[in-house]
Amino acid sequence: MNTQHAEPEMLDALIIGAGFSGLYQLYCLREKLGLKVKVLEAGDSVGGTWYWNKYPGARCDSESHVYCYTFSKELTEEWNWSERYPGPDEIVSYLDHVTDRFNLRHNIEFETRVAAARFNEKDNHWDIEVDSGRLYRARYLITAVGCLSSANVPEIDGLKDFEGQWYHTGQWPKEGVPFEGKRVGQIGTGSTGIQAAPVIAQTAQHLTVFQRTANYSIPARNHKLNTEDRSSHKLNAAATRELTRNNSNGHGWLISEKQALKTSAEERTDIYEKAWQTGGLKFRASFSDLLISEKANATAAAFIKKKIHQLVNDPETASSLADIDHPYAAKRPPIDTHYFETYNRDNVELVDLRKTPILRITKDGVVCHKPDSKGQRTEKHHHLDILVFATGYDAITGTLLRMDIRGRNGLKLSDAWSAGPRNHLGLQVAGFPNLFMITGPGSPSVLTNMPAAIEQHVEWISDCIAFMIEQNHTTIESSESSVESWVNEGNAEANKTLLPSVRHSWYLGANIPGKPRVFMPYTGGLDKYRNICQKAADENYKMFVIS
Ligand code: NA7
């Protein structure tokens, strides 16, 4: 850490990131606790994940009337969403509005990336250094860095030789990318690729989609909201708040109590058909046993695969798209706008990488292995002007570990987590006093509607810091034993579901070479998690080590 710079700026709390989490954490610590707080943000505006993810077709998969804060009735009352699912520009406008409405901007430093943070054991504070070398000193350090903010660009042989332009969807140029007259290759068919392909296909001369793992998708059925929709959302806002705070997923709906396996085939198909027509993530709430029973899940999987075959004209393409090797929603379940239908366009081609893997990238395209009719190895060159990597993120831990965070005895977070992330309640790591993580590993985060999970975390952290101040305590940290029991609890909850069975899922870190395979999000549900956290607070944080 650079010590040649001027005196550090003294703060009570430093927050990293100005997305949904960082802004609300700033508001709570400043307004409710009166602390001196600063947010450091790498981008030049608020927005977090949505500041960077401006790729074609980008859209939130939570519905707009729940993808927002609920802490201020006035804010809920005055803000008007324009569509069922908000796009990045509208979300950033919303967060801009929140920033100005609550006068938060002057506590945020933009274009400032945290490089390192060290816990000073002598004086019990954090020393933080940013990329420009500036220093800050704070009693509390809170990471609000999002779960999907470190782009994963796979190391494919030859990328450096590519003479066209290439982009990762998570670092999309603000000015956009014109596809007119271009031959575009898109690698990846996760939630992002499934959103991007239909939009890129509308203007590109030709789009080649490289699919490694076929994926389920449910129609989003996005639409403009009218005055009645908005009035109804506002009228029901208090009830919706109660619902999103007290259910397992933080969305505006409950998971049905009906079991697929105890429902007749005819009724089951009716229920799936209705959910398909309604669209969106609620499809996965059709039955209570979908994520715990392979047999139940297979009924949903079969329904969706049949839809794919109905939607896609070319039987070979349909077969590749429907050749899905994992249970429905055991990987992140995408929702789409005309994704499967896009393959009926003359200018769109699917390359099934399970049959014809990528060999290398050349100066003007991608070369795939293509067995000929005699099974001999031949090569096919896909000529491309633009390559789009919709290849996901070093999710949940990537951004945390890219910073050089060191706790007691200089322990590096990357060493503490060398076998995978370990913490207590997803909030605190043993040996890292006064460091709190919002929506980190071990918390429900990506399995929920994020703002609901974020409000819970921020409020818990704020209450905890208020307790520390009231009681004149200096440090709070997890004990090794509480970490051990939380890791066991997390594994036990995950193993009740089908989710850890998908070995190639980013929930397990499997998309990043060398990343430990540990199931990261807490699957017990936001409601259960909230109660566990509340109990810890009600017991005066006795599971934590306080000094
Ligand atoms: P995902 O869900 O991680 O999807 C990434 C896609 O990229 C997926 O289809 C991957 O295939 C594919 N991929 C990754 N590396 C490669 C290589 N080397 N070759 C070919 N294909 C590759 O990321 P998304 O951005 O779509 O979604 C992330 C979240 O963002 C999403 O859940 C929403 O919450 C928003 P694989 O499946 O690994 O075989």
Side-chain angles (χ1 to χ4, degrees), residues 61 148 152 154 156 169 187-193 210 212-213 331-332 353-354 358 390-393 504 506 511:
D61 52 13
L148 299 161
N152 166 41
I156 301 178
T169 49
I187 302 179
T189 52
S191 303
T192 300
F210 297 92
R212 187 165 69 182
T213 306
K331 279 177 97 173
R332 175 83 178 194
L353 298 181
R354 292 270 157 107
I358 294 177
T391 43
Y393 304 85
H504 51 70
W506 57 258
N511 60 331

PDB file of all heavy atoms in Angstrom, residues 61 148 152 154 156 169 187-193 210 212-213 331-332 353-354 358 390-393 504 506 511, ligand 1:
ATOM      1  N   ASP A  61     -34.733  -8.929 -15.135  1.00  0.00           N
ATOM      2  CA  ASP A  61     -35.753  -9.986 -15.176  1.00  0.00           C
ATOM      3  C   ASP A  61     -36.691  -9.935 -13.974  1.00  0.00           C
ATOM      4  O   ASP A  61     -37.600 -10.759 -13.847  1.00  0.00           O
ATOM      5  CB  ASP A  61     -35.140 -11.382 -15.391  1.00  0.00           C
ATOM      6  CG  ASP A  61     -34.028 -11.707 -14.413  1.00  0.00           C
ATOM      7  OD1 ASP A  61     -33.890 -10.974 -13.421  1.00  0.00           O
ATOM      8  OD2 ASP A  61     -33.311 -12.701 -14.640  1.00  0.00           O
ATOM      9  N   LEU A 148     -22.501  -9.495 -10.096  1.00  0.00           N
ATOM     10  CA  LEU A 148     -22.201  -9.804 -11.498  1.00  0.00           C
ATOM     11  C   LEU A 148     -21.515  -8.599 -12.118  1.00  0.00           C
ATOM     12  O   LEU A 148     -22.043  -7.944 -13.005  1.00  0.00           O
ATOM     13  CB  LEU A 148     -23.508 -10.134 -12.233  1.00  0.00           C
ATOM     14  CG  LEU A 148     -24.261 -11.351 -11.653  1.00  0.00           C
ATOM     15  CD1 LEU A 148     -25.708 -11.345 -12.074  1.00  0.00           C
ATOM     16  CD2 LEU A 148     -23.598 -12.646 -12.066  1.00  0.00           C
ATOM     17  N   ASN A 152     -16.270 -11.996 -17.508  1.00  0.00           N
ATOM     18  CA  ASN A 152     -15.466 -13.178 -17.813  1.00  0.00           C
ATOM     19  C   ASN A 152     -15.270 -13.273 -19.326  1.00  0.00           C
ATOM     20  O   ASN A 152     -16.209 -13.591 -20.054  1.00  0.00           O
ATOM     21  CB  ASN A 152     -16.202 -14.430 -17.297  1.00  0.00           C
ATOM     22  CG  ASN A 152     -15.618 -15.718 -17.867  1.00  0.00           C
ATOM     23  OD1 ASN A 152     -14.403 -15.861 -17.972  1.00  0.00           O
ATOM     24  ND2 ASN A 152     -16.494 -16.637 -18.242  1.00  0.00           N
ATOM     25  N   PRO A 154     -13.457 -15.505 -21.843  1.00  0.00           N
ATOM     26  CA  PRO A 154     -12.712 -16.765 -21.835  1.00  0.00           C
ATOM     27  C   PRO A 154     -11.443 -16.666 -22.671  1.00  0.00           C
ATOM     28  O   PRO A 154     -11.381 -15.919 -23.647  1.00  0.00           O
ATOM     29  CB  PRO A 154     -13.697 -17.768 -22.456  1.00  0.00           C
ATOM     30  CG  PRO A 154     -14.733 -16.969 -23.147  1.00  0.00           C
ATOM     31  CD  PRO A 154     -14.757 -15.607 -22.520  1.00  0.00           C
ATOM     32  N   ILE A 156      -9.699 -17.838 -25.299  1.00  0.00           N
ATOM     33  CA  ILE A 156      -9.803 -18.671 -26.493  1.00  0.00           C
ATOM     34  C   ILE A 156      -8.596 -18.343 -27.368  1.00  0.00           C
ATOM     35  O   ILE A 156      -8.290 -17.166 -27.599  1.00  0.00           O
ATOM     36  CB  ILE A 156     -11.135 -18.414 -27.245  1.00  0.00           C
ATOM     37  CG1 ILE A 156     -12.318 -18.713 -26.305  1.00  0.00           C
ATOM     38  CG2 ILE A 156     -11.207 -19.273 -28.521  1.00  0.00           C
ATOM     39  CD1 ILE A 156     -13.684 -18.449 -26.900  1.00  0.00           C
ATOM     40  N   THR A 169     -20.433  -8.207 -23.039  1.00  0.00           N
ATOM     41  CA  THR A 169     -21.725  -7.554 -22.778  1.00  0.00           C
ATOM     42  C   THR A 169     -21.727  -6.754 -21.479  1.00  0.00           C
ATOM     43  O   THR A 169     -22.459  -5.768 -21.363  1.00  0.00           O
ATOM     44  CB  THR A 169     -22.838  -8.608 -22.712  1.00  0.00           C
ATOM     45  OG1 THR A 169     -22.409  -9.655 -21.823  1.00  0.00           O
ATOM     46  CG2 THR A 169     -23.135  -9.197 -24.082  1.00  0.00           C
ATOM     47  N   ILE A 187     -20.869 -15.354 -28.596  1.00  0.00           N
ATOM     48  CA  ILE A 187     -20.535 -16.559 -27.824  1.00  0.00           C
ATOM     49  C   ILE A 187     -21.288 -16.487 -26.503  1.00  0.00           C
ATOM     50  O   ILE A 187     -21.158 -15.512 -25.759  1.00  0.00           O
ATOM     51  CB  ILE A 187     -19.018 -16.658 -27.573  1.00  0.00           C
ATOM     52  CG1 ILE A 187     -18.266 -16.680 -28.917  1.00  0.00           C
ATOM     53  CG2 ILE A 187     -18.682 -17.905 -26.756  1.00  0.00           C
ATOM     54  CD1 ILE A 187     -16.755 -16.762 -28.800  1.00  0.00           C
ATOM     55  N   GLY A 188     -22.100 -17.507 -26.222  1.00  0.00           N
ATOM     56  CA  GLY A 188     -22.815 -17.542 -24.945  1.00  0.00           C
ATOM     57  C   GLY A 188     -24.311 -17.451 -25.111  1.00  0.00           C
ATOM     58  O   GLY A 188     -24.817 -16.601 -25.859  1.00  0.00           O
ATOM     59  N   THR A 189     -24.998 -18.341 -24.413  1.00  0.00           N
ATOM     60  CA  THR A 189     -26.467 -18.370 -24.461  1.00  0.00           C
ATOM     61  C   THR A 189     -27.038 -18.494 -23.044  1.00  0.00           C
ATOM     62  O   THR A 189     -27.917 -19.292 -22.766  1.00  0.00           O
ATOM     63  CB  THR A 189     -26.957 -19.551 -25.330  1.00  0.00           C
ATOM     64  OG1 THR A 189     -26.324 -20.751 -24.863  1.00  0.00           O
ATOM     65  CG2 THR A 189     -26.642 -19.349 -26.796  1.00  0.00           C
ATOM     66  N   GLY A 190     -26.461 -17.673 -22.132  1.00  0.00           N
ATOM     67  CA  GLY A 190     -27.051 -17.527 -20.805  1.00  0.00           C
ATOM     68  C   GLY A 190     -28.133 -16.451 -20.879  1.00  0.00           C
ATOM     69  O   GLY A 190     -28.581 -16.073 -21.968  1.00  0.00           O
ATOM     70  N   SER A 191     -28.534 -15.921 -19.721  1.00  0.00           N
ATOM     71  CA  SER A 191     -29.586 -14.884 -19.699  1.00  0.00           C
ATOM     72  C   SER A 191     -29.241 -13.731 -20.629  1.00  0.00           C
ATOM     73  O   SER A 191     -30.106 -13.202 -21.339  1.00  0.00           O
ATOM     74  CB  SER A 191     -29.736 -14.301 -18.297  1.00  0.00           C
ATOM     75  OG  SER A 191     -30.007 -15.299 -17.382  1.00  0.00           O
ATOM     76  N   THR A 192     -27.963 -13.350 -20.640  1.00  0.00           N
ATOM     77  CA  THR A 192     -27.543 -12.203 -21.446  1.00  0.00           C
ATOM     78  C   THR A 192     -27.624 -12.519 -22.937  1.00  0.00           C
ATOM     79  O   THR A 192     -28.212 -11.750 -23.719  1.00  0.00           O
ATOM     80  CB  THR A 192     -26.091 -11.820 -21.074  1.00  0.00           C
ATOM     81  OG1 THR A 192     -26.056 -11.483 -19.697  1.00  0.00           O
ATOM     82  CG2 THR A 192     -25.591 -10.670 -21.900  1.00  0.00           C
ATOM     83  N   GLY A 193     -27.025 -13.631 -23.345  1.00  0.00           N
ATOM     84  CA  GLY A 193     -27.013 -13.993 -24.767  1.00  0.00           C
ATOM     85  C   GLY A 193     -28.432 -14.153 -25.300  1.00  0.00           C
ATOM     86  O   GLY A 193     -28.724 -13.767 -26.447  1.00  0.00           O
ATOM     87  N   PHE A 210     -22.914 -18.935 -30.982  1.00  0.00           N
ATOM     88  CA  PHE A 210     -22.151 -20.116 -30.576  1.00  0.00           C
ATOM     89  C   PHE A 210     -22.690 -20.588 -29.230  1.00  0.00           C
ATOM     90  O   PHE A 210     -22.535 -19.896 -28.220  1.00  0.00           O
ATOM     91  CB  PHE A 210     -20.656 -19.773 -30.478  1.00  0.00           C
ATOM     92  CG  PHE A 210     -20.050 -19.360 -31.799  1.00  0.00           C
ATOM     93  CD1 PHE A 210     -20.008 -18.015 -32.175  1.00  0.00           C
ATOM     94  CD2 PHE A 210     -19.532 -20.311 -32.663  1.00  0.00           C
ATOM     95  CE1 PHE A 210     -19.463 -17.629 -33.391  1.00  0.00           C
ATOM     96  CE2 PHE A 210     -18.970 -19.934 -33.888  1.00  0.00           C
ATOM     97  CZ  PHE A 210     -18.944 -18.594 -34.250  1.00  0.00           C
ATOM     98  N   ARG A 212     -22.689 -23.295 -26.196  1.00  0.00           N
ATOM     99  CA  ARG A 212     -21.994 -24.423 -25.565  1.00  0.00           C
ATOM    100  C   ARG A 212     -23.005 -25.287 -24.795  1.00  0.00           C
ATOM    101  O   ARG A 212     -23.013 -26.492 -24.941  1.00  0.00           O
ATOM    102  CB  ARG A 212     -20.895 -23.920 -24.630  1.00  0.00           C
ATOM    103  CG  ARG A 212     -20.043 -25.049 -24.094  1.00  0.00           C
ATOM    104  CD  ARG A 212     -18.766 -24.549 -23.470  1.00  0.00           C
ATOM    105  NE  ARG A 212     -19.002 -23.808 -22.236  1.00  0.00           N
ATOM    106  CZ  ARG A 212     -18.038 -23.241 -21.525  1.00  0.00           C
ATOM    107  NH1 ARG A 212     -16.781 -23.309 -21.925  1.00  0.00           N
ATOM    108  NH2 ARG A 212     -18.309 -22.591 -20.418  1.00  0.00           N
ATOM    109  N   THR A 213     -23.847 -24.632 -23.994  1.00  0.00           N
ATOM    110  CA  THR A 213     -24.863 -25.391 -23.247  1.00  0.00           C
ATOM    111  C   THR A 213     -26.231 -24.834 -23.605  1.00  0.00           C
ATOM    112  O   THR A 213     -26.488 -23.639 -23.429  1.00  0.00           O
ATOM    113  CB  THR A 213     -24.642 -25.246 -21.722  1.00  0.00           C
ATOM    114  OG1 THR A 213     -23.295 -25.612 -21.426  1.00  0.00           O
ATOM    115  CG2 THR A 213     -25.584 -26.138 -20.943  1.00  0.00           C
ATOM    116  N   LYS A 331     -29.937 -23.923 -13.145  1.00  0.00           N
ATOM    117  CA  LYS A 331     -29.037 -22.825 -13.491  1.00  0.00           C
ATOM    118  C   LYS A 331     -29.942 -21.605 -13.557  1.00  0.00           C
ATOM    119  O   LYS A 331     -31.152 -21.736 -13.625  1.00  0.00           O
ATOM    120  CB  LYS A 331     -28.415 -23.043 -14.880  1.00  0.00           C
ATOM    121  CG  LYS A 331     -27.232 -23.983 -14.878  1.00  0.00           C
ATOM    122  CD  LYS A 331     -26.741 -24.201 -16.293  1.00  0.00           C
ATOM    123  CE  LYS A 331     -25.573 -23.316 -16.630  1.00  0.00           C
ATOM    124  NZ  LYS A 331     -24.995 -23.640 -17.961  1.00  0.00           N
ATOM    125  N   ARG A 332     -29.366 -20.414 -13.595  1.00  0.00           N
ATOM    126  CA  ARG A 332     -30.182 -19.201 -13.651  1.00  0.00           C
ATOM    127  C   ARG A 332     -31.166 -19.280 -14.826  1.00  0.00           C
ATOM    128  O   ARG A 332     -30.750 -19.427 -15.976  1.00  0.00           O
ATOM    129  CB  ARG A 332     -29.251 -18.005 -13.832  1.00  0.00           C
ATOM    130  CG  ARG A 332     -29.923 -16.714 -14.014  1.00  0.00           C
ATOM    131  CD  ARG A 332     -30.305 -16.120 -12.702  1.00  0.00           C
ATOM    132  NE  ARG A 332     -30.931 -14.829 -12.884  1.00  0.00           N
ATOM    133  CZ  ARG A 332     -31.129 -13.969 -11.907  1.00  0.00           C
ATOM    134  NH1 ARG A 332     -30.755 -14.255 -10.695  1.00  0.00           N
ATOM    135  NH2 ARG A 332     -31.712 -12.835 -12.141  1.00  0.00           N
ATOM    136  N   LEU A 353     -21.769 -25.930 -30.103  1.00  0.00           N
ATOM    137  CA  LEU A 353     -20.357 -26.180 -29.766  1.00  0.00           C
ATOM    138  C   LEU A 353     -20.131 -27.561 -29.164  1.00  0.00           C
ATOM    139  O   LEU A 353     -18.995 -28.032 -29.105  1.00  0.00           O
ATOM    140  CB  LEU A 353     -19.832 -25.095 -28.818  1.00  0.00           C
ATOM    141  CG  LEU A 353     -19.829 -23.673 -29.371  1.00  0.00           C
ATOM    142  CD1 LEU A 353     -19.265 -22.700 -28.345  1.00  0.00           C
ATOM    143  CD2 LEU A 353     -19.022 -23.573 -30.662  1.00  0.00           C
ATOM    144  N   ARG A 354     -21.202 -28.216 -28.718  1.00  0.00           N
ATOM    145  CA  ARG A 354     -21.010 -29.592 -28.227  1.00  0.00           C
ATOM    146  C   ARG A 354     -20.667 -30.521 -29.400  1.00  0.00           C
ATOM    147  O   ARG A 354     -19.954 -31.494 -29.235  1.00  0.00           O
ATOM    148  CB  ARG A 354     -22.293 -30.094 -27.544  1.00  0.00           C
ATOM    149  CG  ARG A 354     -22.614 -29.371 -26.256  1.00  0.00           C
ATOM    150  CD  ARG A 354     -21.979 -30.069 -25.051  1.00  0.00           C
ATOM    151  NE  ARG A 354     -21.825 -29.144 -23.933  1.00  0.00           N
ATOM    152  CZ  ARG A 354     -22.567 -29.156 -22.846  1.00  0.00           C
ATOM    153  NH1 ARG A 354     -23.517 -30.034 -22.699  1.00  0.00           N
ATOM    154  NH2 ARG A 354     -22.360 -28.285 -21.871  1.00  0.00           N
ATOM    155  N   ILE A 358     -15.230 -24.794 -30.621  1.00  0.00           N
ATOM    156  CA  ILE A 358     -14.339 -23.742 -31.139  1.00  0.00           C
ATOM    157  C   ILE A 358     -12.896 -24.228 -31.036  1.00  0.00           C
ATOM    158  O   ILE A 358     -12.468 -24.706 -29.984  1.00  0.00           O
ATOM    159  CB  ILE A 358     -14.505 -22.430 -30.335  1.00  0.00           C
ATOM    160  CG1 ILE A 358     -15.909 -21.840 -30.539  1.00  0.00           C
ATOM    161  CG2 ILE A 358     -13.423 -21.411 -30.711  1.00  0.00           C
ATOM    162  CD1 ILE A 358     -16.204 -20.581 -29.732  1.00  0.00           C
ATOM    163  N   ALA A 390     -20.928 -12.959 -24.660  1.00  0.00           N
ATOM    164  CA  ALA A 390     -22.005 -12.953 -23.652  1.00  0.00           C
ATOM    165  C   ALA A 390     -21.683 -14.097 -22.696  1.00  0.00           C
ATOM    166  O   ALA A 390     -22.490 -14.982 -22.450  1.00  0.00           O
ATOM    167  CB  ALA A 390     -23.350 -13.161 -24.336  1.00  0.00           C
ATOM    168  N   THR A 391     -20.449 -14.060 -22.196  1.00  0.00           N
ATOM    169  CA  THR A 391     -19.876 -15.219 -21.507  1.00  0.00           C
ATOM    170  C   THR A 391     -19.881 -15.082 -19.986  1.00  0.00           C
ATOM    171  O   THR A 391     -19.168 -15.811 -19.300  1.00  0.00           O
ATOM    172  CB  THR A 391     -18.438 -15.457 -22.020  1.00  0.00           C
ATOM    173  OG1 THR A 391     -17.770 -14.192 -22.123  1.00  0.00           O
ATOM    174  CG2 THR A 391     -18.447 -16.118 -23.383  1.00  0.00           C
ATOM    175  N   GLY A 392     -20.675 -14.162 -19.481  1.00  0.00           N
ATOM    176  CA  GLY A 392     -20.919 -14.128 -18.046  1.00  0.00           C
ATOM    177  C   GLY A 392     -19.835 -13.446 -17.232  1.00  0.00           C
ATOM    178  O   GLY A 392     -19.034 -12.657 -17.750  1.00  0.00           O
ATOM    179  N   TYR A 393     -19.833 -13.795 -15.957  1.00  0.00           N
ATOM    180  CA  TYR A 393     -19.043 -13.052 -14.971  1.00  0.00           C
ATOM    181  C   TYR A 393     -18.285 -13.998 -14.057  1.00  0.00           C
ATOM    182  O   TYR A 393     -18.688 -15.145 -13.864  1.00  0.00           O
ATOM    183  CB  TYR A 393     -19.985 -12.212 -14.094  1.00  0.00           C
ATOM    184  CG  TYR A 393     -20.831 -11.296 -14.917  1.00  0.00           C
ATOM    185  CD1 TYR A 393     -22.026 -11.753 -15.479  1.00  0.00           C
ATOM    186  CD2 TYR A 393     -20.409 -10.001 -15.181  1.00  0.00           C
ATOM    187  CE1 TYR A 393     -22.785 -10.925 -16.285  1.00  0.00           C
ATOM    188  CE2 TYR A 393     -21.161  -9.171 -15.986  1.00  0.00           C
ATOM    189  CZ  TYR A 393     -22.350  -9.638 -16.536  1.00  0.00           C
ATOM    190  OH  TYR A 393     -23.088  -8.828 -17.336  1.00  0.00           O
ATOM    191  N   HIS A 504     -21.832 -27.401 -14.071  1.00  0.00           N
ATOM    192  CA  HIS A 504     -21.253 -26.331 -14.909  1.00  0.00           C
ATOM    193  C   HIS A 504     -21.934 -24.978 -14.683  1.00  0.00           C
ATOM    194  O   HIS A 504     -21.990 -24.143 -15.566  1.00  0.00           O
ATOM    195  CB  HIS A 504     -21.271 -26.710 -16.398  1.00  0.00           C
ATOM    196  CG  HIS A 504     -22.622 -27.171 -16.903  1.00  0.00           C
ATOM    197  ND1 HIS A 504     -23.689 -26.326 -17.040  1.00  0.00           N
ATOM    198  CD2 HIS A 504     -23.050 -28.379 -17.294  1.00  0.00           C
ATOM    199  CE1 HIS A 504     -24.719 -27.009 -17.504  1.00  0.00           C
ATOM    200  NE2 HIS A 504     -24.365 -28.258 -17.663  1.00  0.00           N
ATOM    201  N   TRP A 506     -22.524 -21.199 -12.855  1.00  0.00           N
ATOM    202  CA  TRP A 506     -21.721 -20.155 -12.201  1.00  0.00           C
ATOM    203  C   TRP A 506     -22.103 -19.997 -10.741  1.00  0.00           C
ATOM    204  O   TRP A 506     -21.351 -19.401  -9.961  1.00  0.00           O
ATOM    205  CB  TRP A 506     -21.751 -18.820 -12.947  1.00  0.00           C
ATOM    206  CG  TRP A 506     -23.080 -18.163 -13.194  1.00  0.00           C
ATOM    207  CD1 TRP A 506     -23.783 -18.148 -14.354  1.00  0.00           C
ATOM    208  CD2 TRP A 506     -23.839 -17.338 -12.289  1.00  0.00           C
ATOM    209  NE1 TRP A 506     -24.938 -17.400 -14.227  1.00  0.00           N
ATOM    210  CE2 TRP A 506     -24.993 -16.891 -12.960  1.00  0.00           C
ATOM    211  CE3 TRP A 506     -23.663 -16.935 -10.952  1.00  0.00           C
ATOM    212  CZ2 TRP A 506     -25.965 -16.074 -12.368  1.00  0.00           C
ATOM    213  CZ3 TRP A 506     -24.625 -16.123 -10.357  1.00  0.00           C
ATOM    214  CH2 TRP A 506     -25.761 -15.707 -11.063  1.00  0.00           C
ATOM    215  N   ASN A 511     -17.714 -21.624 -14.124  1.00  0.00           N
ATOM    216  CA  ASN A 511     -17.402 -20.984 -15.408  1.00  0.00           C
ATOM    217  C   ASN A 511     -16.017 -20.340 -15.419  1.00  0.00           C
ATOM    218  O   ASN A 511     -15.569 -19.863 -16.448  1.00  0.00           O
ATOM    219  CB  ASN A 511     -18.469 -19.915 -15.755  1.00  0.00           C
ATOM    220  CG  ASN A 511     -18.546 -18.818 -14.711  1.00  0.00           C
ATOM    221  OD1 ASN A 511     -18.260 -19.050 -13.545  1.00  0.00           O
ATOM    222  ND2 ASN A 511     -18.927 -17.635 -15.116  1.00  0.00           N
TER     223      ASN A 511
HETATM  224  P1  NA7 B   1     -23.957 -16.822 -17.857  1.00  0.00           P
HETATM  225  O1  NA7 B   1     -25.268 -17.236 -17.361  1.00  0.00           O
HETATM  226  O2  NA7 B   1     -22.733 -17.235 -17.108  1.00  0.00           O
HETATM  227  O3  NA7 B   1     -23.849 -17.349 -19.364  1.00  0.00           O
HETATM  228  C1  NA7 B   1     -22.631 -17.327 -20.043  1.00  0.00           C
HETATM  229  C2  NA7 B   1     -22.776 -18.059 -21.343  1.00  0.00           C
HETATM  230  O4  NA7 B   1     -21.511 -18.056 -22.001  1.00  0.00           O
HETATM  231  C3  NA7 B   1     -23.151 -19.528 -21.164  1.00  0.00           C
HETATM  232  O5  NA7 B   1     -23.946 -19.902 -22.236  1.00  0.00           O
HETATM  233  C4  NA7 B   1     -21.787 -20.205 -21.219  1.00  0.00           C
HETATM  234  O6  NA7 B   1     -21.855 -21.552 -21.571  1.00  0.00           O
HETATM  235  C5  NA7 B   1     -21.124 -19.386 -22.285  1.00  0.00           C
HETATM  236  N1  NA7 B   1     -19.680 -19.499 -22.254  1.00  0.00           N
HETATM  237  C6  NA7 B   1     -18.834 -19.117 -21.265  1.00  0.00           C
HETATM  238  N2  NA7 B   1     -17.569 -19.380 -21.614  1.00  0.00           N
HETATM  239  C7  NA7 B   1     -17.617 -19.935 -22.834  1.00  0.00           C
HETATM  240  C8  NA7 B   1     -16.628 -20.432 -23.730  1.00  0.00           C
HETATM  241  N3  NA7 B   1     -15.343 -20.427 -23.405  1.00  0.00           N
HETATM  242  N4  NA7 B   1     -17.009 -20.938 -24.911  1.00  0.00           N
HETATM  243  C9  NA7 B   1     -18.327 -20.963 -25.213  1.00  0.00           C
HETATM  244  N5  NA7 B   1     -19.311 -20.515 -24.423  1.00  0.00           N
HETATM  245  C10 NA7 B   1     -18.949 -20.008 -23.246  1.00  0.00           C
HETATM  246  O7  NA7 B   1     -23.843 -15.252 -18.000  1.00  0.00           O
HETATM  247  P2  NA7 B   1     -24.974 -14.234 -18.450  1.00  0.00           P
HETATM  248  O8  NA7 B   1     -24.293 -12.929 -18.633  1.00  0.00           O
HETATM  249  O9  NA7 B   1     -25.764 -14.770 -19.564  1.00  0.00           O
HETATM  250  O10 NA7 B   1     -25.930 -14.147 -17.226  1.00  0.00           O
HETATM  251  C11 NA7 B   1     -25.427 -13.796 -15.931  1.00  0.00           C
HETATM  252  C12 NA7 B   1     -26.490 -13.168 -15.102  1.00  0.00           C
HETATM  253  O11 NA7 B   1     -26.588 -11.823 -15.506  1.00  0.00           O
HETATM  254  C13 NA7 B   1     -27.861 -13.654 -15.265  1.00  0.00           C
HETATM  255  O12 NA7 B   1     -28.166 -14.685 -14.460  1.00  0.00           O
HETATM  256  C14 NA7 B   1     -28.708 -12.460 -14.933  1.00  0.00           C
HETATM  257  O13 NA7 B   1     -28.874 -12.371 -13.564  1.00  0.00           O
HETATM  258  C15 NA7 B   1     -27.911 -11.342 -15.355  1.00  0.00           C
HETATM  259  P3  NA7 B   1     -21.990 -22.691 -20.431  1.00  0.00           P
HETATM  260  O14 NA7 B   1     -23.401 -22.600 -19.957  1.00  0.00           O
HETATM  261  O15 NA7 B   1     -20.993 -22.308 -19.343  1.00  0.00           O
HETATM  262  O16 NA7 B   1     -21.627 -23.930 -21.105  1.00  0.00           O
END
